[in-house]
């Protein structure tokens, strides 16, 4: 059975916050990771809080 379709693999998501799921989607997205790395590289001190 494909583990992504297994009910056991989704049990931990039952208590997950929406922001946790959104963060996981961003973390797995290659374009998002690339954009984040570019943002860090373009920040003189590595601070991204003002961006």
């Amino acid at each position: 059975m494909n583990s992504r379709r297994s009910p056991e693999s989704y049990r931990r998501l039952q208590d997950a916050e929406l922001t946790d799921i959104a963060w996981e989607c961003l973390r797995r997205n290659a374009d998002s990771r690339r954009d984040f790395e570019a943002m860090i590289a373009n920040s003189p001190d590595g601070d991204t809080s003002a961006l």
Side-chain angles (χ1 to χ4, degrees), residues 16-51:
E17 297 288 328
L18 184 59
T19 53
D20 296 330
I21 295 170
W23 173 249
E24 187 63 21
C25 290
L26 285 173
R27 186 184 73 78
R28 292 178 183 219
N29 183 288
D31 291 334
S32 176
R33 286 194 319 266
R34 192 171 27 257
D35 290 347
F36 182 76
E37 292 299 326
M39 184 174 56
I40 296 292
N42 291 325
S43 175
D45 59 2
D47 183 19
T48 59
S49 61
L51 300 175

